[in-house]
Amino acid sequence: MTLTPTRELLDSAFAAGRGVGAFNVLHLETAEALASAAESAGHPVILQLSENCVRYHGGLEPIALATLAVAEASSADIAVHLDHAEDPALALRAIELGFGSVMYDGSKLDFAENVAATRLVVKRASAAGVLVEAELGEIGGKNGAHAPGVRTDPDEAARFVAATGVEALAVAVGSQHAMTERVAAIDLDLISRLRAAVPVPLVLHGSSGVPDEAIVAGIRAGVTKVNVSTHLNTRFTGAVRRYLNEHPTVVDSRTYIAEGRIAVEHEAARLLLLLAAAGKEQHA
């Protein structure tokens, strides 16, 4: 199959009031696991590459081309997205490589600077038919630099979307990046007000720390794209650790990495079913 445009996945989910999973790729094995999860669940997935992932692999092309190849070979509907790019040049390179969407993260800038930088990325992306996601109101916990109490203001969000032309907006509503416990409480009233104020799909970052029932409630309140990374990484690492504890003499890394891949596939498939079901129940 060919790649599915991110815009197509988000528009479909947005119209139906359901969620779509956007899960981070760290290496080839996670890309393979996530594609298999989408196939087994029968629901689409967005594969995301972050700026940190690009840095780990020494450049965008090696992991990007591998992820694009996995997506294109899958029978599932899969889009490929650049997540949290603070460097506009990286976002532009992802557009050139054929990503369906890019997130330019100017949330550390003041409002005017964020608007100006985001508009430049949107201009280049629009010419290539690529969707741009942006962030307003820092999502707590990312690299320890964001305050957990930050929230996105609906009026400011509406002005930001109108000024930049972005087609998806990541909002700060109480979640944090890199949480290993699922105990975060998200502000459902704020999500509803943001949904009413902003005409584009809302994105929940830091969803690893949000319990299942809160994610479902967030979708019903107005979230469309649900980003998950740390939660799946925890499953991967836990499976590898168990295997190594049980097989202390193993030296072939494929044997234990395969266990991590299977664990991610199973949990990602479960999450995709959860996100899709939230919309179905809402409109039943």
Side-chain angles (χ1 to χ4, degrees):
M1 291 185 66
T2 58
L3 289 170
T4 302
T6 308
R7 181 181 291 105
E8 181 179 314
L9 296 187
L10 289 184
D11 285 350
S12 177
F14 183 68
R18 65 174 181 270
V20 60
F23 303 151
N24 281 60
V25 170
L26 273 67
H27 32 60
L28 178 59
E29 287 78 11
T30 47
E32 293 169 338
L34 297 174
S36 295
E39 291 165 8
S40 63
H43 292 293
V45 70
I46 299 171
L47 304 186
Q48 303 194 141
L49 300 175
S50 71
E51 194 168 278
N52 286 336
C53 176
V54 171
R55 191 175 299 114
Y56 169 77
H57 287 280
L60 178 61
E61 281 77 1
I63 188 61
L65 295 177
T67 300
L68 289 165
V70 167
E72 289 172 345
S74 176
S75 61
D77 291 326
I78 300 179
V80 177
H81 172 77
L82 180 67
D83 184 39
H84 277 293
E86 296 182 5
D87 180 1
L90 181 62
L92 298 181
R93 181 58 182 145
I95 293 168
E96 293 172 354
L97 288 175
F99 282 44
S101 54
V102 297
M103 179 197 179
Y104 172 65
D105 181 359
S107 63
K108 294 179 181 177
L109 305 174
D110 66 30
F111 184 84
E113 291 175 324
N114 193 356
V115 166
T118 302
R119 286 180 67 177
L120 292 176
V121 175
V122 169
K123 182 178 180 180
R124 291 285 294 274
S126 296
V130 174
L131 178 144
V132 176
E133 173 187 333
E135 180 171 303
L136 188 65
E138 296 174 336
I139 309 298
K142 183 170 181 279
N143 299 325
H146 296 193
V150 172
R151 296 290 185 271
T152 301
D153 177 74
D155 291 336
E156 190 172 64
R159 289 192 289 115
F160 181 82
V161 170
T164 60
V166 297
E167 295 178 82
L169 185 68
V171 292
V173 293
S175 57
Q176 291 181 251
H177 287 101
M179 288 185 68
T180 56
E181 293 184 81
R182 306 185 74 198
V183 295
I186 56 175
D187 189 334
L188 298 176
D189 177 68
L190 176 57
I191 292 172
S192 295
R193 290 189 288 119
L194 286 163
R195 167 75 286 126
V198 176
V200 300
L202 300 179
V203 184
L204 181 65
H205 284 230
S207 303
S208 290
V210 183
D212 283 358
E213 60 273 17
I215 289 176
V216 169
I219 292 169
R220 293 176 179 173
V223 166
T224 300
K225 180 170 176 276
V226 178
N227 287 18
V228 179
S229 181
T230 301
H231 177 63
L232 295 173
N233 297 343
T234 300
R235 293 300 178 100
F236 187 100
T237 302
V240 170
R241 183 173 288 121
R242 284 191 298 274
Y243 188 88
L244 290 174
N245 287 338
E246 294 168 2
H247 304 83
T249 62
V250 69
V251 294
D252 186 345
S253 61
R254 290 172 297 183
T255 59
Y256 54 85
I257 294 298
E259 294 297 310
R261 181 170 57 190
I262 292 169
V264 169
E265 177 186 344
H266 290 170
E267 181 61 7
R270 188 191 71 80
L271 288 172
L272 291 176
L273 290 168
L274 176 79
L275 302 182
K280 290 179 181 177
E281 292 172 11
Q282 183 184 32
H283 294 278

